[in-house]
Amino acid sequence: MSALILDGKALAQKTEEELSTRVAALKEKSGGQTPILATILVGGDPASATYVKMKGNACTRIGMDSMKVELPEETTTEELLAKIEELNANPNVHGILLQHPVPAQIDERACFDAIALEKDVDGVTCLGFGRMSMGEEAYGCATPKGIMRLLEAYDIELEGKHAVVVGRSPILGKPMALMLLNANATVTICHSRTQNLPDIIKQADVIVGAVGKPEFIKADWIKDGAVVVDAGYHPGGVGDIELEPLKERASALTPVPGGVGPMTINTLIYQSVDSGEKKIG
Amino acid sequence: MSALILDGKALAQKTEEELSTRVAALKEKSGGQTPILATILVGGDPASATYVKMKGNACTRIGMDSMKVELPEETTTEELLAKIEELNANPNVHGILLQHPVPAQIDERACFDAIALEKDVDGVTCLGFGRMSMGEEAYGCATPKGIMRLLEAYDIELEGKHAVVVGRSPILGKPMALMLLNANATVTICHSRTQNLPDIIKQADVIVGAVGKPEFIKADWIKDGAVVVDAGYHPGGVGDIELEPLKERASALTPVPGGVGPMTINTLIYQSVDSGEKKIG
């Protein structure tokens, strides 16, 4: 049996076509207005700069404007909060992305949480997480929401399945677990203190690797026929899961690269268009 | 081996003595002010009326004032929201309890979420849940927080243990799972769609019954030496777990009644005193 490849790259491209149509329709209706995503980059970290650039490029591809905010390395929490408040108050801004991580002197959590709920298209606020968890309307955190969209596009059944999430970060493992729970999976959340990790993973009908360590999760911990989702990306094009041997044993699998990765930015712009439509449309 | 009895009634009584001292100290310092818990009862459900009365009585026992708000059965969402806003704005009110459930015509989630974070001493808001989940300061949801306080009082080790929570309600199962996760347990959340529930429960080092069905969880699903927490209470004095056979096999167990039950109200008043101290003290 060969695993079904969950092709995030293809889904992202297909979605971009749909989003382009929606943005064009909005422009037509409003006399030229598009949704606008404000991206905030603090400091000069090259990886962060690249991510922000990729996000801006994705907006451009679908005909949507973005507003680039670049702040110096020595920005204070207060300065960043003031900028976020300004963007919250700006009616032309429909989504706000604060690129993670920010320099160490900044209280990142306070800054995330300052983003207005209706502009939190990257799904990073505590309020948005709480609302999503309780089944209330809120934009989902981009990476786990992208994974959910990918699983849905391929009609992967989750109800009653045992999903094991390895990792519990605020923007990946925790929201992933709650989204899977809300899709009626039985969910186990594992992390660095988990004992007998291989035994727990062995039970997974759906396994999500979200640990941030290259090939930390071994192929032989995963049972035949599992759905394998790898949210990691490391130099050399490997993820958090040892994927190669699973290509013949899993029922479905996200490749690295080209699986989860493209879905993160795609979800960000998808949610930005949603937000724009609510305000402009 | 006889299971250690996790005596919530005794811990609640001991805590009330400490709280009485703290309230007395606040009164002394402030010239007579005490923390005030506002309790809101909508409609005439006798069970709800009893719960609200018990909460008011607990305030009285520790020397703290409560403010009873009683609204008619036909109250609208807008009227209840207006009352909550009034209590949010009242500087003499330090905590707000909205008794669940409210009559069907009311949007309970909207009303819960209208409670100001710093007065949400019952831990029912989406924002409070999100903040707690992310390790930020927030009052915990009263029942699961009461369970955590009980486990802590008996030095029950959670780190690295496999905790299985059966139930995923907004005010019990979901916050319970996140609190156990934040205490470094590996957490599995089960619910009505879970397949092979007995097999999963068999693995639990810590099992929390939060399903609301009398003795739904059978004793022989639970392994020897487990920590057994029963958050249920049903007529005839039974909980969600078949507890009797476990008294000889579990390492520790919450009795029904007298285990989790007393800790819920105790946590409500504990958090009300905390809130009062922040404002008065």
Side-chain angles (χ1 to χ4, degrees):
Chain A
M1 182 180 77
S2 215
L4 173 68
I5 299 299
L6 304 174
D7 189 338
K9 195 175 167 195
L11 178 59
Q13 278 169 353
K14 179 168 159 277
T15 305
E16 284 193 7
E17 288 165 29
E18 295 162 8
L19 293 175
S20 298
T21 307
R22 285 166 61 185
V23 170
L26 259 190
K27 266 174 120 160
E28 167 113 13
K29 218 159 81 175
S30 66
Q33 259 193 288
T34 85
I36 294 180
L37 173 68
T39 61
I40 309 176
L41 174 64
V42 186
D45 178 62
S48 293
T50 301
Y51 283 126
V52 168
K53 194 170 175 181
M54 286 167 71
K55 291 165 186 178
N57 290 346
C59 292
T60 306
R61 284 198 301 274
I62 62 165
M64 199 185 115
D65 291 334
S66 60
M67 177 193 286
K68 279 175 194 38
V69 177
E70 296 185 0
L71 298 172
E73 188 72 37
E74 63 274 15
T75 300
T76 64
T77 299
E78 290 63 36
E79 288 164 344
L80 181 50
L81 287 172
K83 176 52 75 177
I84 291 168
E85 287 308 336
E86 184 191 314
L87 296 170
N88 283 341
N90 183 339
N92 295 321
V93 169
H94 305 97
I96 300 173
L97 166 94
L98 172 59
Q99 184 62 43
H100 164 83
V102 295
Q105 78 277 8
I106 294 178
D107 181 343
E108 184 178 76
R109 172 46 60 196
C111 293
F112 275 159
D113 281 340
I115 298 171
L117 182 69
E118 73 272 16
K119 299 191 182 188
D120 180 24
V121 291
D122 202 31
V124 295
T125 61
C126 284
L127 179 57
F129 172 82
R131 289 181 59 86
M132 176 279 289
S133 297
M134 297 309 170
E136 298 296 307
E137 199 182 329
Y139 295 114
C141 196
T143 299
K145 177 74 182 179
I147 291 169
M148 295 304 285
R149 292 176 55 228
L150 185 57
L151 295 173
E152 204 186 327
Y154 283 92
D155 288 322
I156 302 291
E157 168 120 20
L158 294 171
E159 177 156 326
K161 301 299 178 191
H162 190 170
V164 176
V165 177
V166 189
R168 55 171 167 172
S169 72
I171 55 173
L172 187 40
K174 281 177 184 173
M176 184 83 261
L178 272 295
M179 288 178 194
L180 289 164
L181 180 65
N182 287 346
N184 292 325
T186 300
V187 179
T188 299
I189 316 170
C190 301
H191 46 80
S192 56
R193 315 295 172 87
T194 294
Q195 295 163 3
N196 308 319
L197 184 62
D199 291 344
I200 293 175
I201 290 178
K202 204 85 195 167
Q203 302 170 43
D205 300 311
V206 179
I207 168 84
V208 180
V211 276
K213 293 182 190 166
E215 298 198 334
F216 176 79
I217 298 167
K218 302 305 171 198
D220 64 9
W221 298 355
I222 296 174
K223 73 178 178 188
D224 289 356
V227 173
V228 177
V229 176
D230 192 335
Y233 183 76
H234 307 282
V238 299
D240 288 354
I241 303 178
E242 188 193 14
L243 289 176
E244 200 51 43
L246 294 166
K247 290 184 176 161
E248 297 304 315
R249 294 206 292 109
S251 66
L253 160 157
T254 60
V256 174
V260 172
M263 294 306 298
T264 299
I265 292 183
N266 189 255
T267 299
L268 174 71
I269 60 171
Y270 181 93
Q271 296 189 147
S272 298
V273 172
D274 272 354
S275 178
E277 284 177 339
K278 281 178 205 158
K279 294 292 158 56
I280 305 171
Chain B
M1 182 181 74
S2 215
L4 172 69
I5 299 299
L6 304 175
D7 189 339
K9 194 175 169 195
L11 178 59
Q13 279 170 352
K14 179 168 158 275
T15 305
E16 284 193 7
E17 288 166 29
E18 295 163 7
L19 292 175
S20 300
T21 308
R22 285 166 61 184
V23 170
L26 259 189
K27 266 174 120 160
E28 169 112 14
K29 216 158 83 174
S30 66
Q33 258 192 291
T34 85
I36 295 180
L37 173 69
T39 62
I40 310 175
L41 174 65
V42 186
D45 177 62
S48 292
T50 301
Y51 282 126
V52 168
K53 194 170 174 179
M54 285 167 71
K55 291 165 187 179
N57 290 347
C59 292
T60 306
R61 282 198 302 274
I62 62 164
M64 199 184 115
D65 291 334
S66 61
M67 177 194 287
K68 280 176 191 38
V69 177
E70 296 186 358
L71 299 172
E73 188 73 38
E74 62 275 14
T75 300
T76 64
T77 300
E78 290 63 38
E79 288 165 345
L80 181 49
L81 286 173
K83 177 51 76 178
I84 291 168
E85 286 307 335
E86 184 191 313
L87 296 170
N88 283 340
N90 184 339
N92 294 320
V93 169
H94 306 97
I96 300 173
L97 167 94
L98 171 59
Q99 183 63 41
H100 164 84
V102 295
Q105 78 278 6
I106 293 178
D107 181 345
E108 184 179 78
R109 172 47 61 195
C111 293
F112 275 158
D113 281 340
I115 298 171
L117 182 69
E118 74 272 16
K119 299 192 182 188
D120 180 24
V121 292
D122 201 31
V124 295
T125 61
C126 284
L127 178 58
F129 173 82
R131 288 181 59 86
M132 176 280 289
S133 297
M134 298 308 169
E136 299 295 307
E137 199 181 329
Y139 296 113
C141 195
T143 300
K145 176 74 182 180
I147 291 169
M148 295 304 286
R149 291 177 55 228
L150 185 56
L151 295 174
E152 204 186 327
Y154 282 92
D155 288 321
I156 303 290
E157 168 120 21
L158 295 171
E159 176 156 326
K161 301 299 178 192
H162 191 169
V164 175
V165 178
V166 189
R168 54 170 167 172
S169 72
I171 56 174
L172 188 39
K174 282 177 183 173
M176 184 82 262
L178 271 295
M179 288 177 195
L180 289 164
L181 180 65
N182 287 346
N184 291 326
T186 299
V187 180
T188 299
I189 316 170
C190 300
H191 46 80
S192 56
R193 314 296 173 86
T194 294
Q195 295 163 3
N196 307 321
L197 184 62
D199 291 344
I200 293 175
I201 290 178
K202 204 85 195 169
Q203 301 170 45
D205 301 311
V206 179
I207 169 84
V208 181
V211 276
K213 294 180 188 166
E215 298 197 338
F216 175 79
I217 297 167
K218 303 305 170 198
D220 63 12
W221 300 353
I222 296 174
K223 73 178 178 189
D224 289 358
V227 173
V228 177
V229 176
D230 193 335
Y233 182 77
H234 308 282
V238 299
D240 288 353
I241 302 177
E242 189 192 15
L243 288 176
E244 199 51 43
L246 294 166
K247 289 184 177 160
E248 297 303 315
R249 295 206 290 111
S251 67
L253 160 155
T254 60
V256 175
V260 172
M263 293 306 297
T264 299
I265 293 183
N266 189 255
T267 299
L268 175 71
I269 60 171
Y270 181 92
Q271 296 189 147
S272 298
V273 172
D274 273 353
S275 177
E277 285 177 338
K278 279 178 205 158
K279 293 292 158 57
I280 304 170

